[in-house]
Amino acid sequence: MSEPRRLHPAAIIFNFIKGIREFLFVLIFGFITFRDESLIYFILILFALVLLLVTYSIITWYRFTYRVEDNELRIEYGIFVRKKRYISKNRIQSIDLTSGVIHRIFKLAKVQIETASGGDGAEASLKAVKLTEAEKLRDELKNENTPLKGELEEEETTNPFYKISFQRLFIAGSTSGSLGVIFVLAIGATEFERFIPDQFFDNAMSWVIGLGIALIVGFVFVVLLLLWLLGIAGTIIKYGNFTITKSTDELFITRGLLEKKQITIPLSRIQAIGIQESIIRQPLGFVTVFAEVAGGSLDQGQDFSTVLFPIMRRDEVEEFLQEILPEYAEHPKEFNPLPKRALPFYLFRTMVPVILLGVVVMFLLPQFSWLVILLLIAAFGLGFLRYRASGYDVKGNRLMVRYRTFSKMTMLMYHKRIQAFEKKQHKIQKSQSLATLKLSIIGKLGVGKHYSLKELNADDLDLLSDWYSYRE
């Protein structure tokens, strides 16, 4: 591909939508300002703005060209100032294909190219390319030839491949954060009437009672059910058709119903593997497996971590990693736990914020004292769970640390991936022969990701320090 090529004309639509989004605040402000006496002028200005945006979108599309030449992706764009961006194949870390609703109508894909030096966004983005051409471009930039049909079939049957089932998606949605929203609404509803003026409340209650208790209960049930179903629908839309495939040195992830994403993760960029067990899913035995990947960009709304599989049973993780990332498989049966003298630290740290909040609430709103007591019991339980969950294990050059905020997290990382190792010890910890371990690896945007394991036995932490510095 040496001849300059333009994006699909559908890119004009994306340029126009982007322009409208950037002027949205001005349009809303203008409508509110001129809607009464000068609405006609606002309509004329709006018409001129739309015409200007359409013209701008067409010219922007026309002036944008790309080609692959001399082992580089060469992009030229700009209306008045011509800009040229050359990206060497050797600098490319990953190439992701995304197909939104409009893309899928025209059988297109958005190509996002990321390099290690990418900033807040992809290094290059081709908004609308034919899907077949996008896949061809991806193979060309990766210095790979498109395999013949026979080779592809053989590869599909031999490469490790995992696909999520609808049943698992349903469980993932059912145990998502929407349950927490329902719980908070249920508690809030019991005290909501305290904040409503008496007269308004009495009138409202008279109207509601007139509707009948059965209708009221049915309405509340429908609202809660709707929230729960929205949580399920959001998960299914985000992770529908989720598949992960391993090739020689890369992982390919495809997910999404409305917006289909194809993510490529070079194995060399994986810095750590994480296993998350939320409070809701942990009793059911389900976990989420994710990877911390170095470099690349951080698009708006995109998670810092890349999910390798949204939900699977805890006892399936080892087999999954054995197929996908065998160096991270084989987990210890038991971690090295924290000493018993660490427990008061965990209880104190978890309960102090609730105690401070409780003092304020009991002073200003004494009728909510019962809620403070419930929160204190919950904080005590959470502090104990945090203590019980924390621990570590070392096997060869691999370190596993486990901790909990609300969800229990298990992080697996190799010695060569750890960028910084820090031991912290304040006076109280020192008196108890305890210390805090802090680890850092490289995350997205080149910034570090940090993990802390507090109140470790100080002697154990010294041994870990020797392990990190190769001291005998």
Side-chain angles (χ1 to χ4, degrees):
M1 184 186 297
S2 58
E3 293 295 324
R5 307 198 64 169
R6 289 190 175 85
L7 302 177
H8 189 276
I12 298 172
I13 300 175
F14 297 114
N15 291 335
F16 179 75
I17 293 174
K18 181 183 177 184
I20 288 290
R21 195 169 58 216
E22 292 176 352
F23 281 97
L24 188 60
F25 177 77
V26 176
L27 293 176
I28 294 174
F29 182 76
F31 175 75
I32 295 174
T33 305
F34 299 107
R35 61 180 175 177
D36 294 329
E37 299 178 356
S38 306
L39 184 59
I40 185 64
Y41 294 107
F42 173 76
I43 294 175
L44 289 175
I45 294 173
L46 180 63
F47 179 76
L49 179 63
V50 169
L51 189 63
L52 183 65
L53 285 177
V54 170
T55 305
Y56 173 80
S57 302
I58 293 174
I59 296 176
T60 300
W61 164 78
Y62 183 78
R63 297 281 286 174
F64 189 104
T65 62
Y66 67 95
R67 67 183 189 277
V68 178
E69 187 173 320
D70 296 334
N71 289 323
E72 289 179 328
L73 174 64
R74 300 185 174 183
I75 299 174
E76 299 184 13
Y77 59 101
I79 297 177
F80 300 107
V81 180
R82 196 68 174 158
K83 300 176 182 177
K84 298 180 180 179
R85 176 174 291 181
Y86 295 166
I87 304 173
S88 171
K89 288 183 179 180
N90 298 327
R91 290 182 54 226
I92 295 175
Q93 297 278 356
S94 67
I95 304 168
D96 298 337
L97 308 185
T98 305
S99 296
V101 175
I102 298 177
H103 288 98
R104 297 173 80 168
I105 292 173
F106 295 102
K107 295 183 179 179
L108 305 175
K110 178 181 179 182
V111 183
Q112 289 182 288
I113 298 161
E114 298 180 347
T115 66
S117 59
D120 187 10
E123 180 75 23
S125 180
L126 308 182
K127 294 178 181 175
V129 181
K130 283 186 177 179
L131 182 58
T132 53
E133 189 175 319
E135 293 174 342
K136 184 179 177 182
L137 177 64
R138 179 179 61 185
D139 293 339
E140 190 172 1
L141 292 175
K142 288 164 56 182
N143 292 314
E144 294 178 0
N145 295 322
T146 304
L148 298 176
K149 186 177 181 181
E151 295 172 341
L152 183 62
E153 288 175 350
E154 183 179 354
E155 189 176 86
E156 287 178 345
T157 56
T158 56
N159 286 353
F161 172 83
Y162 280 82
K163 181 176 183 179
I164 195 168
S165 65
F166 180 80
Q167 182 185 13
R168 289 291 173 87
L169 267 179
F170 185 81
I171 295 173
S174 303
T175 56
S176 66
S178 60
L179 276 181
V181 175
I182 293 174
F183 180 71
V184 171
L185 287 176
I187 292 180
T190 61
E191 297 296 334
F192 184 65
E193 101 306 321
R194 296 174 184 271
F195 301 98
I196 302 175
D198 292 341
Q199 185 177 359
F200 179 82
F201 180 77
D202 292 340
N203 294 336
M205 283 303 296
S206 299
W207 176 74
V208 169
I209 290 173
L211 295 177
I213 297 299
L215 188 60
I216 299 167
V217 173
F219 177 74
V220 172
F221 176 77
V222 168
V223 170
L224 296 178
L225 180 63
L226 184 62
L227 286 172
W228 182 60
L229 291 176
L230 284 175
I232 296 174
T235 302
I236 292 176
I237 289 172
K238 184 176 182 180
Y239 291 112
N241 293 328
F242 185 98
T243 62
I244 178 169
T245 310
K246 181 186 178 184
S247 68
T248 306
D249 54 1
E250 291 175 321
L251 297 178
F252 298 100
I253 294 175
T254 303
R255 66 171 174 84
L257 292 183
L258 293 182
E259 184 182 72
K260 185 178 179 181
K261 292 182 73 77
Q262 297 181 36
I263 304 169
T264 305
I265 304 175
L267 298 181
S268 59
R269 288 175 55 200
I270 294 178
Q271 305 296 300
I273 296 297
I275 301 168
Q276 182 188 41
E277 301 173 70
S278 70
I279 286 182
I280 298 175
R281 292 176 183 172
Q282 188 179 347
L284 303 175
F286 287 104
V287 304
T288 298
V289 183
F290 62 94
E292 302 292 359
V293 183
S297 64
L298 184 65
D299 291 340
Q300 188 176 8
Q302 186 175 339
D303 298 332
F304 276 93
S305 307
T306 302
V307 172
L308 296 184
F309 210 82
I311 187 168
M312 63 170 52
R313 289 201 172 275
R314 190 186 300 113
D315 54 12
E316 296 172 347
V317 173
E318 201 158 317
E319 180 185 348
F320 171 76
L321 290 177
Q322 190 67 48
E323 290 279 351
I324 301 296
L325 297 163
E327 64 272 27
Y328 290 95
E330 193 182 352
H331 299 168
K333 301 300 179 186
E334 294 184 2
F335 281 66
N336 296 304
L338 301 181
K340 289 183 179 178
R341 58 185 183 278
L343 177 58
F345 288 85
Y346 276 78
L347 295 179
F348 179 80
R349 191 180 293 113
T350 309
M351 295 180 68
V352 162
V354 179
I355 293 173
L356 295 176
L357 178 65
V359 170
V360 176
V361 170
M362 293 177 75
F363 180 74
L364 298 176
L365 301 167
Q367 64 271 29
F368 287 98
S369 300
W370 62 272
L371 185 57
V372 174
I373 295 172
L374 288 180
L375 288 176
L376 277 173
I377 295 173
F380 181 88
L382 181 60
F384 184 74
L385 288 177
R386 285 177 176 173
Y387 163 75
R388 287 288 302 274
S390 300
Y392 74 94
D393 181 77
V394 177
K395 183 176 183 181
N397 288 326
R398 193 186 67 183
L399 173 64
M400 298 179 71
V401 294
R402 196 171 64 188
Y403 61 94
R404 178 193 292 275
T405 46
F406 287 100
S407 299
K408 186 166 78 173
M409 309 289 289
T410 303
M411 299 302 306
L412 302 87
M413 61 195 81
Y414 274 86
H415 184 284
K416 62 182 179 182
R417 301 296 189 191
I418 300 173
Q419 301 297 311
F421 182 103
E422 184 179 354
K423 174 186 175 183
K424 296 176 67 176
Q425 192 177 39
H426 53 69
K427 289 185 178 180
I428 301 177
Q429 285 181 324
K430 194 172 183 179
S431 66
Q432 297 291 317
S433 297
L434 300 172
T436 296
L437 166 66
K438 188 174 180 181
L439 300 167
S440 301
I441 60 173
I442 296 178
K444 288 192 173 184
L445 290 171
V447 298
K449 294 208 71 173
H450 313 289
Y451 309 97
S452 294
L453 193 56
K454 298 177 178 177
E455 278 73 60
L456 268 174
N457 191 322
D459 293 336
D460 291 348
L461 190 43
D462 288 337
L463 291 176
L464 284 175
S465 178
D466 293 342
W467 169 82
Y468 181 70
S469 60
Y470 294 114
R471 288 189 300 239
E472 296 294 338

